[in-house]
Amino acid sequence: MTRAFPEPGSRAEVEEGAAFTPRFDANGLVSCIAVDAADGQVLMLAHMNAESLARTLETGEAWYWSRSRGELWHKGATSGQVQRVVEMRVDCDQDAVLIRVAVGGDGGCCHTGRRACFYRRVDHDPATGQATLRPADA
């Protein structure tokens, strides 16, 4: 099922051309940001290899590469929080993708049970140089 993506061409072709030529990093991955298609909330950041990106395109549902488990991961296969891809975008140099998704199940995405993975804000105190975390909605 792995799809062979074309090799990236010149800078102009990558940045202005019509060919989708993802630039995978040294580990064979591209970063993927998942955003709620309905309200624009950033839900999560994950990674895709060529196979998970191909499966995402073929099935219309989000597939990722789990770096911690070292395996393909069909988002929602066990939780019911399947991410149906509404739109896929690629950044200027094609080394990151953004997917707008409709989330199934209870609408959550984070393994902690929250709707989104970005649930904490980093506060920095310039006087002490310390950074602390607090709830993003506080």
Side-chain angles (χ1 to χ4, degrees), residues 6 8 11 31 68 75 79 92 110 114:
R11 181 176 174 181
S31 297
S68 60
K75 179 63 178 148
S79 67
C92 56
C110 184
R114 293 175 174 86

Side-chain angles (χ1 to χ4, degrees), residues 48 52-53 55-56 59 61-65 72-75:
M48 294 180 166
S52 60
L53 182 55
R55 285 188 185 205
T56 299
T59 66
E61 295 179 352
W63 285 77
Y64 300 107
W65 176 256
L72 286 176
W73 161 35
H74 180 209
K75 179 63 178 148

Side-chain angles (χ1 to χ4, degrees), residues 11-58:
R11 181 176 174 181
E13 291 169 332
V14 169
E15 293 177 357
E16 304 298 335
F20 182 45
T21 57
R23 291 184 41 226
F24 298 97
D25 68 13
N27 296 313
L29 303 173
V30 295
S31 297
C32 178
I33 302 165
V35 175
D36 188 288
D39 66 11
Q41 181 177 4
V42 176
L43 299 172
M44 59 185 278
L45 168 72
H47 297 87
M48 294 180 166
N49 64 5
E51 184 173 1
S52 60
L53 182 55
R55 285 188 185 205
T56 299
L57 290 169
E58 291 165 5

